[in-house]
Amino acid sequence: MKIGMIGLGKMGNNMRERLRRAGHEVVGFDLDEKLRDVDDVESMIQALEPPRVVWVMVPHGKPTRSTVEQLGELLDEGDLIIEGGNSKYTEDRELDALMEPKGIGYVDCGVSGGIWGLENGYGLMCGGREEDVEKAMPIFDALRPEGPREEGFVHAGEVGAGHYAKMVHNGIEYGLMHAYAEGFELLMAKDIVTDVRGCFQAWSRGTVVRSWLLDLLVSALGDTPELKGIDAYTTDSGEGRWTVEEAIDNAVPMPVISAALFARFASRQENSPAMQAVAALRGQFGGHDVRMLDDADLEEDQAEVHQGAEPKKNDSESQQRPGADGGGEGDGAATADAGPSSGSGATEDRSGPTSGTGDTH
């Protein structure tokens, strides 16, 4: 089968390679001249044979929308667009509404597997009409892991269902990661435990908490013993936020995933305004000493943090949390609006296809 692919970042490039290994012909376009097979989208379309299939693997938001709209002007009735990034499901429905009158099929496909997908295969979650999904099934079968189709692929429902499933998948991922992280910190805090990495490795077979994420944590602890020197600052791609928003809209209790999301917010604060308020209130109603930023020592006889942790900086410059002024890497408002990357790239507020190099899922 012959397919066009737009966006050849960390995931898109590997997906192109996996498809080629399976015997499919891929014509790829990317802004990076070193990665692309053709110089523009028009040339890619001309290289395909009707009915054409084009996989879009660019960052969510304006890049995806402008790319799909461009394809809508270049493709013909009977052709198919697969949106494989991390778009919000509502955006899929909007784009499908633009393509349907033209007779152009639209399938949204959540993709999980990150940089390991080339060798291991990708978990795929699709939304769309039955005939459109079936048209692309040879592509999905080549990308998914070996074994039973249902263990690596699902046609989750109508347009938008694929990215909705991927959103929930990533929300669960938040919770799992944070549970392992909390366990790591407690093991590090107890002096009777001398082999923390060994504990996690011992859980990797036969226990109920074994998982690929656990294996990756063992690997990380091997690469960086005790994770010393790693900055705790953690971003969120947007899907965790969307998951919590959907939980609220549908009255679904989601305390674990919500807490994991909020913990990421807390990781970006040198000095939490909320906890400043808590400290002040304790002083007001209980007469407890309120520690000021320039105080050298604690008055209360209790540990501030365990020995393996580094306290937050207590200086005047740290009162402003990252992104609170609306700019910079940690701009919370911008992140909430921009959403996640495609899994193959960092979100950038620009139009047109992009190489999508950046964070992976």
Side-chain angles (χ1 to χ4, degrees):
M1 188 171 180
K2 199 169 186 178
I3 182 174
M5 180 167 284
I6 302 177
L8 302 170
K10 289 182 180 178
M11 283 186 70
N13 194 35
N14 281 349
M15 291 168 68
R16 175 177 61 174
E17 177 61 24
R18 186 172 175 88
L19 288 170
R20 286 175 172 172
R21 290 180 184 181
H24 297 288
E25 186 175 351
V26 183
V27 182
F29 172 76
D30 193 277
L31 293 180
D32 189 336
E33 296 179 0
K34 298 177 182 178
L35 296 175
R36 64 195 187 198
D37 303 312
V38 291
D39 291 333
D40 50 52
V41 175
E42 290 83 354
S43 299
M44 182 198 71
I45 298 298
Q46 293 172 6
L48 302 177
E49 302 166 357
R52 306 173 187 87
V53 177
V54 178
W55 190 299
V56 178
M57 202 68 183
V58 302
H60 150 271
K62 288 185 178 180
T64 291
R65 176 173 284 273
S66 63
T67 301
V68 172
E69 289 177 348
Q70 181 184 13
L71 289 173
E73 298 301 319
L74 296 172
L75 295 175
D76 298 320
E77 183 176 352
D79 292 344
L80 174 65
I81 297 171
I82 303 173
E83 207 294 88
N86 281 341
S87 291
K88 194 172 185 179
Y89 75 98
T90 52
E91 295 166 353
D92 290 313
R93 299 170 76 86
E94 292 172 2
L95 292 172
D96 176 61
L98 295 176
M99 297 303 111
E100 186 177 14
K102 301 173 182 287
I104 299 171
Y106 185 96
V107 170
D108 59 290
C109 185
V111 182
S112 181
I115 60 175
W116 303 88
L118 174 60
E119 302 300 333
N120 298 337
Y122 300 89
L124 305 174
M125 297 144 268
C126 289
R129 298 168 186 83
E130 186 69 36
E131 60 271 23
D132 291 331
V133 174
E134 283 299 319
K135 183 184 298 184
M137 194 57 71
I139 300 300
F140 297 141
D141 280 339
L143 289 173
R144 67 175 176 83
E146 295 181 5
R149 178 185 288 171
E150 62 272 16
E151 292 181 6
F153 170 87
V154 62
H155 181 188
E158 61 190 52
V159 170
H163 281 148
Y164 196 94
K166 179 59 162 48
M167 176 194 73
V168 176
H169 166 280
N170 281 22
I172 293 170
E173 180 183 294
Y174 276 44
L176 289 173
M177 290 171 66
H178 204 72
Y180 286 133
E182 290 181 354
F184 165 75
E185 182 165 357
L186 186 56
L187 288 171
M188 288 290 295
K190 193 65 174 176
D191 56 6
I192 63 172
V193 179
T194 58
D195 188 357
V196 174
R197 180 178 183 272
C199 291
F200 283 102
Q201 191 166 21
W203 298 344
S204 62
R205 290 182 182 272
T207 76
V208 296
V209 299
R210 66 188 184 275
S211 74
W212 185 40
L213 283 173
L214 180 65
D215 295 340
L216 293 176
L217 181 54
V218 172
S219 177
L221 287 167
D223 294 339
T224 310
E226 299 183 354
L227 305 184
K228 287 183 177 179
I230 293 180
D231 194 330
Y233 189 106
T234 307
T235 61
D236 67 288
S237 62
E239 287 168 305
R241 300 183 188 216
W242 298 345
T243 305
V244 173
E245 290 170 1
E246 285 293 316
I248 294 169
D249 290 345
N250 291 280
V252 174
M254 200 167 276
V256 172
I257 294 174
S258 300
L261 173 64
F262 295 148
R264 295 196 181 194
F265 297 166
S267 78
R268 306 165 202 168
Q269 296 179 326
E270 286 293 348
N271 194 59
S272 165
M275 294 314 297
Q276 284 178 311
V278 171
L281 285 170
R282 290 181 76 244
Q284 290 291 319
F285 72 74
H288 301 287
D289 290 336
V290 178
R291 178 174 177 172
M292 305 306 291
L293 288 173
D294 56 359
D295 287 347
D297 301 309
L298 281 173
E299 297 296 330
E300 298 182 32
D301 184 21
Q302 64 184 43
E304 183 177 18
V305 294
H306 67 79
Q307 293 180 351
E310 297 181 5
K312 295 285 188 181
K313 299 182 184 68
N314 285 324
D315 54 64
S316 58
E317 294 180 357
S318 67
Q319 295 187 58
Q320 179 70 45
R321 67 182 183 274
D325 63 354
E329 179 77 16
D331 185 356
T335 305
D337 180 64
S341 72
S342 65
S344 57
T347 302
E348 297 181 32
D349 190 19
R350 66 184 184 191
S351 61
T354 175
S355 63
T357 53
D359 294 337
T360 56
H361 279 280

